[in-house]
Amino acid sequence: MRQRHTSRPVPRPGPGRVARYLGYLAIALLPACQSGEPDSAFKRYLNQLDLALSVAVPAIEHVTAAPVPGAGELQLAIPPGDIDGLDFLQLGSCALQANFVKRQTRLAQFAKPSQRLLLELEYLRLAPACIQRLRDGGRHPLADQLEAARREKQGQLPALIFNATLGSDEYRSFWLAAPITGEYPRSDSSAAVSALETINHQTRRWLSGDYRARNRAFELLLSEIAGGGGGQKRRAWSRQVDWLVAADTIAGQSLASAAVCSAVNVNPMTRRRLALARSYFTGVIQPLATQSQLHYLEMEAPVAALEAQLSAILPPRYRRWLTDRNQHVAALASAPGQHLAQLDRIQQGCNTEAGLAAR
């Protein structure tokens, strides 16, 4: 049925209703704002602060984190053992004989840290049975030589693991803020986290005396980690906080301005605009920053766990970079709360000497 239209005049909404309508409209448009470029929500927020507080939006300065050191700067020196030139024929039918054959190839002499680790793990796994067989056969000097090498390699194992993991090209690639084209294929985040956790589990086994290793599988895990993009996730989070630093500048100038503090205290429109800006911050900006933080921490957590396992042998250069990384992450995590505290002070009439003088 068609509705009848009357000619009764429609009442005009008052100023209060207009403000509420504008507020509802702003909230309704929030999802649309997030669908554009990654920085669009943060640009909108700074513009809202500018509108509310009449403070010009400052230039955005994107701060770069301390770069991860090159793998060549981190590799721990591990002296070659005195058994590397041993004639493998002396071992008879020991399974360890194959390990000595590998050692004497040119490929082994220029092996990657991961391949060196796998070679030494194989030695540690096969040596006890061979040593016992040599003793049983009365060949004590050779058995003693192999046993001394076994103990030496056991002591070197944490450094070997560090060189093959935290100090490797693959883990360095994981931390790069931008990937190097063609170096490592991009990995799915969940696959990279799974690979990190698997290597941590293997490290615990190796350090507790279980030296089993699947060589090809280990190399594939390193490849997944190399393309994991941990540094890119930290850069994305850091870029968001760079916008918050600009918002802090606006808030700080407002807190120091008697005119702004007075407007907040006596001007209803200023208070409404500030309330809308704060609502946008808590409803959109904080969740975006929290999401970026969680994405980063999901990838950092297993790396931090491996760093804890190998803490006793981390080289000084790595420790300095780790300290810088932790300080940077702590600053990023605290930024939203600090900004919200500034907004609260402004909404309370600044609560500063400028604000009190304006009353």
Side-chain angles (χ1 to χ4, degrees):
M1 178 181 295
R2 300 177 63 184
Q3 295 181 347
R4 295 183 179 179
H5 296 278
T6 67
S7 58
R8 185 185 310 169
V10 178
R12 298 173 62 85
R17 289 184 178 180
V18 171
R20 284 198 297 274
Y21 293 160
L22 291 175
Y24 298 150
L25 179 61
I27 294 172
L29 290 175
L30 296 187
C33 295
Q34 299 176 51
S35 62
E37 58 181 293
D39 296 332
S40 60
F42 294 84
K43 292 178 181 178
R44 180 181 178 86
Y45 176 61
L46 292 192
N47 289 333
Q48 287 188 345
L49 280 184
D50 176 28
L51 180 64
L53 302 172
S54 299
V55 175
V57 176
I60 308 301
E61 297 183 6
H62 293 297
V63 179
T64 57
V68 59
E73 302 175 61
L74 298 177
Q75 290 288 295
L76 293 166
I78 302 175
D82 61 357
I83 62 167
D84 286 350
L86 190 69
D87 185 355
F88 64 87
L89 294 176
Q90 297 183 55
L91 302 178
S93 60
C94 282
L96 187 60
Q97 188 180 72
N99 184 268
F100 278 84
V101 172
K102 295 175 188 175
R103 287 176 184 278
Q104 293 169 12
T105 64
R106 184 171 179 81
L107 185 62
Q109 293 170 9
F110 298 95
K112 291 172 51 183
S114 57
Q115 295 162 350
R116 172 83 185 274
L117 167 65
L118 293 167
L119 188 67
E120 303 302 10
L121 285 170
E122 184 182 66
Y123 181 90
L124 289 169
R125 180 170 57 84
L126 298 176
C130 189
I131 292 169
Q132 187 60 49
R133 175 176 291 189
L134 291 171
R135 292 196 192 286
D136 292 343
R139 303 177 65 186
H140 295 288
L142 182 55
D144 291 344
Q145 186 179 6
L146 295 181
E147 173 61 20
R150 187 190 69 82
R151 292 179 180 176
E152 180 183 51
K153 294 179 188 305
Q154 203 171 37
Q156 293 171 344
L157 187 55
L160 287 162
I161 294 171
F162 173 84
N163 285 352
T165 57
L166 297 173
S168 69
D169 285 328
E170 290 87 353
Y171 273 69
R172 181 179 186 273
S173 179
F174 171 84
W175 282 117
L176 291 178
I180 298 176
T181 304
E183 186 170 16
Y184 293 102
R186 186 71 180 268
S187 300
D188 177 77
S189 295
S190 60
V193 170
S194 177
L196 288 164
E197 292 173 343
T198 299
I199 284 182
N200 289 0
H201 174 70
Q202 292 179 347
T203 296
R204 284 191 290 272
R205 283 199 299 100
W206 296 335
L207 294 177
S208 64
D210 181 349
Y211 304 122
R212 291 171 299 161
R214 296 172 57 194
N215 294 12
R216 178 170 171 75
F218 183 67
E219 296 290 357
L220 289 174
L221 290 172
L222 289 174
S223 180
E224 291 281 10
I225 290 167
Q232 295 166 56
K233 285 182 170 50
R234 180 158 65 122
R235 183 187 62 173
W237 182 23
S238 178
R239 184 180 180 89
Q240 292 179 345
V241 173
D242 290 339
W243 286 90
L244 290 187
V245 171
D248 283 344
T249 299
I250 295 175
Q253 292 176 359
S254 300
L255 286 166
S257 168
V260 173
C261 293
S262 176
V264 172
N265 281 309
V266 303
N267 190 327
M269 181 59 75
T270 298
R271 289 198 297 271
R272 281 194 294 271
R273 287 172 174 170
L274 184 58
L276 280 173
R278 189 185 190 283
S279 176
Y280 189 82
F281 177 79
T282 57
V284 175
I285 300 301
Q286 269 191 310
L288 286 174
T290 299
Q291 184 182 55
S292 294
Q293 178 180 2
L294 292 176
H295 287 168
Y296 167 77
L297 293 179
E298 179 187 27
M299 305 205 78
E300 186 203 44
V303 178
L306 183 56
E307 290 166 341
Q309 286 193 74
L310 302 177
S311 60
I313 54 87
L314 295 179
R317 182 71 182 88
Y318 190 94
R319 291 184 184 278
R320 290 194 295 272
W321 175 76
L322 176 57
T323 298
D324 289 340
R325 190 184 89 209
N326 289 339
Q327 290 175 346
H328 184 223
V329 169
L332 296 179
S334 65
Q338 291 175 352
H339 182 67
L340 189 59
Q342 283 188 309
L343 293 182
D344 288 341
R345 288 179 61 195
I346 295 173
Q347 282 189 299
Q348 293 165 8
C350 295
N351 195 27
T352 63
E353 291 183 5
L356 294 173
R359 296 190 177 187

